[in-house]
Amino acid sequence: MNVKEELLKALAGGDFISGAALAERLGVSRNAVWKAVKSLESEGYVIESVTAKGYRLAESSNRLSESLILSHLPDRSMCSSVRVFDELGSTNITAKELASAGAPDGTVVAAETQTMGRGRLGRSFASPPGSGLYMSVIVRPELELQLCSMITAAAAVAVAEAVENLSGAETRIKWVNDIYMNGRKICGILTEASLGLEMHSLDYAVIGIGVNVSGSFEGELADIATSVEAECGVRPDRNALCAEIIKELRKYLPTIGERGFLTEYRRREMLTGSEVTTTVGRETLTGKAVGIDDDANLIVELPDGTQRHIGSGEANRTRKK
Ligand code: BTN
């Protein structure tokens, strides 16, 4: 890490630190600290400087930064690298390009804003700057192919838990992988996989995560989407949230084989017990969601009593006419 990155990391705690203490910690002169502060300010970071107290990173900095994300991780082995961009078309697209070029397991791509944020089922994902966390994680798990479909459900548990850890508020999961707070969506996940040459193993998967951290939605979206801050009054720091998600993914992804994430998934799943409508290929099914099976499929009981295990797509509560 260079002086600037070291300085950012040192200031990440949010407390004032004197120029002398910073110089000692970084092993550079006070003048070098001052220059690094100026350089960070020119990049848009807001650094408060108070006589006899020192420097502190203002909360209003609110910028995504590789150093700040890493500073929230207990050790570097949690992720191989973090790449932060001001603007990308889609973090998933960039992550897939990096993965195809050989980027290792645990590479994280994040962006302040996306111009072509992608959602599931061909939808777009609104990605305004400053108010959301848009990140993609490259994973190369050694998993049998039929278990790979559960990456997305395990990721949903990881993200739900990370948001809860930082906000103190409860989240729910709507099958397959939408995260909800108080009945409206705060996060969507789009997992894209690439198969190995022999087609019976996974080369890599990119887990794309979009969290609405602050702000509100208008028009039709206002009924279905919301943000963490709007729901619970707490605005998690986006760098800390990114790191927390990385930690929770590290915890839950290795449990896919023995279904270690399923208890937490089932506990939060919110369609179970409701009348739902789901589309399977060209067929639209209406029935009662009665649970999640051991492969994270949604079990729907049809009016004739038969049960269908739905592996992909989307299900919604049936609107009462
Ligand atoms: C959905 O709700 O349909 C899934 C939304 C996934 C959005 C995230 S934001 C980061 C990553 N990059 C993308 O283009 N999409 C995912």
Side-chain angles (χ1 to χ4, degrees):
M1 267 197 252
N2 60 30
V3 179
K4 221 164 52 179
E5 287 173 345
E6 292 277 10
L7 175 65
L8 207 44
K9 193 170 173 184
L11 295 175
D15 295 326
F16 277 106
I17 312 181
S18 72
L22 285 167
E24 193 183 328
R25 183 152 155 191
L26 275 55
V28 297
S29 66
R30 288 185 64 173
N31 191 40
V33 169
W34 182 82
K35 274 191 187 158
V37 166
K38 291 293 146 202
S39 171
L40 286 174
E41 284 176 343
S42 72
E43 286 175 27
Y45 290 95
V46 182
I47 295 172
E48 295 171 42
S49 155
V50 174
T51 317
K53 279 183 156 181
Y55 300 104
R56 154 172 110 169
L57 190 64
E59 220 187 287
S60 57
S61 277
N62 188 29
R63 280 171 62 88
L64 275 183
S65 122
E66 178 190 332
S67 311
L68 288 177
I69 292 167
L70 292 175
S71 75
H72 290 284
L73 289 172
D75 66 87
R76 281 300 305 258
S77 67
M78 285 254 158
C79 77
S80 18
S81 73
V82 182
R83 311 269 301 265
V84 173
F85 297 82
D86 281 339
E87 179 181 298
L88 284 179
S90 153
T91 56
N92 265 28
I93 293 177
T94 301
K96 283 196 288 180
E97 286 166 1
L98 291 171
S100 303
D105 178 78
T107 302
V108 177
V109 177
E112 280 289 347
T113 180
Q114 301 183 116
T115 53
M116 291 184 305
R118 288 143 46 102
R120 294 180 67 237
L121 308 171
R123 298 182 187 127
S124 60
F125 187 81
S127 314
S131 57
L133 173 64
Y134 319 112
M135 62 185 280
S136 299
V137 184
I138 298 171
V139 293
R140 297 184 184 274
E142 282 170 17
L143 275 181
E144 288 164 44
L145 207 48
Q146 76 267 24
L147 297 179
C148 290
S149 60
M150 283 189 280
I151 290 175
T152 203
V157 175
V159 176
E161 212 159 286
V163 170
E164 289 185 3
N165 291 346
L166 295 198
S167 69
E170 259 189 21
T171 61
R172 306 292 300 272
I173 296 170
K174 177 172 164 286
W175 181 86
V176 184
N177 53 9
D178 287 341
I179 316 292
Y180 274 58
M181 219 178 236
N182 301 335
R184 285 183 295 166
K185 179 167 162 175
I186 53 146
C187 168
I189 301 177
L190 172 67
T191 304
E192 299 183 82
S194 170
L195 296 183
L197 281 182
E198 295 95 31
M199 305 292 277
H200 39 66
S201 67
L202 187 75
D203 182 10
Y204 65 81
V206 163
I207 306 171
I209 299 159
V211 186
N212 306 323
V213 174
S214 56
S216 55
F217 291 81
E218 284 174 5
E220 275 179 17
L221 273 181
D223 288 338
I224 47 176
T226 184
S227 71
V228 177
E229 186 181 25
E231 290 313 305
C232 68
V234 176
R235 174 162 60 92
D237 175 87
R238 289 177 307 142
N239 292 299
L241 182 58
C242 181
E244 194 68 18
I245 289 173
I246 294 168
K247 275 193 254 173
E248 293 294 336
L249 285 171
R250 280 269 164 245
K251 177 166 133 195
Y252 280 108
L253 290 178
T255 73
I256 289 176
E258 78 267 19
R259 276 57 168 186
F261 68 93
L262 258 186
T263 308
E264 284 302 314
Y265 188 92
R266 289 184 174 128
R267 186 173 72 75
R268 291 192 178 84
E269 207 290 312
M270 56 187 260
L271 291 179
T272 303
S274 305
E275 289 298 319
V276 296
T277 302
T278 179
T279 307
V280 180
R282 293 204 184 130
E283 196 183 9
T284 299
L285 299 175
T286 298
K288 184 174 180 184
V290 292
I292 301 293
D293 74 13
D294 286 347
D295 294 323
N297 298 314
L298 182 72
I299 311 169
V300 178
E301 189 167 290
L302 303 180
D304 67 3
T306 56
Q307 291 192 342
R308 298 280 290 267
H309 292 232
I310 317 291
S312 63
E314 190 174 66
N316 288 299
R317 285 201 173 114
T318 308
R319 283 177 196 271
K320 299 265 180 305
K321 295 209 175 98

